[in-house]
Amino acid sequence: MRNPFCYIGVHNWEYRREKHKVEGHPNNREFIRVVVRECQWCGHREHHSLPRVGRKFTLWKNFDNISKDDTINFEQL
């Protein structure tokens, strides 16, 4: 069961950087680090999408379908 706070959109976020194997990177990098936040209560995950505005992370996108060990395509970010 979801926490009632998560149901209304108030999550308990834990922020971290995860290392993911990437395909299709413009500079042919093998790995990149992605800023991810995960709710401690319900497990919902989001990744930050560039650019940062005013040195703050403003645009977050759903990241539930990608686990910590998955290979991601650069276009997904």
Side-chain angles (χ1 to χ4, degrees):
M1 182 179 152
R2 285 180 70 181
N3 189 309
F5 292 110
C6 296
Y7 184 73
I8 62 172
V10 180
H11 295 276
N12 182 16
W13 296 119
E14 176 187 341
Y15 294 84
R16 67 176 165 270
R17 291 170 57 105
E18 293 180 353
K19 188 175 183 179
H20 287 273
K21 193 168 192 171
V22 65
E23 296 175 348
H25 192 279
N27 294 337
N28 295 325
R29 292 186 181 172
E30 186 176 353
F31 295 98
I32 61 171
R33 297 192 188 274
V34 180
V35 179
V36 176
R37 65 183 184 182
E38 182 173 357
C39 179
Q40 295 290 309
W41 297 326
C42 68
H44 177 66
R45 293 167 42 92
E46 295 181 345
H47 74 90
H48 177 256
S49 183
L50 295 174
R52 290 182 5 180
V53 177
R55 300 175 70 179
K56 295 182 180 178
F57 297 115
T58 55
L59 183 60
W60 294 91
K61 294 185 179 177
N62 189 11
F63 209 56
D64 285 331
N65 57 346
I66 298 175
S67 69
K68 297 175 184 175
D69 298 326
D70 284 348
T71 300
I72 58 175
N73 190 344
F74 191 74
E75 299 299 321
Q76 290 175 305
L77 301 176

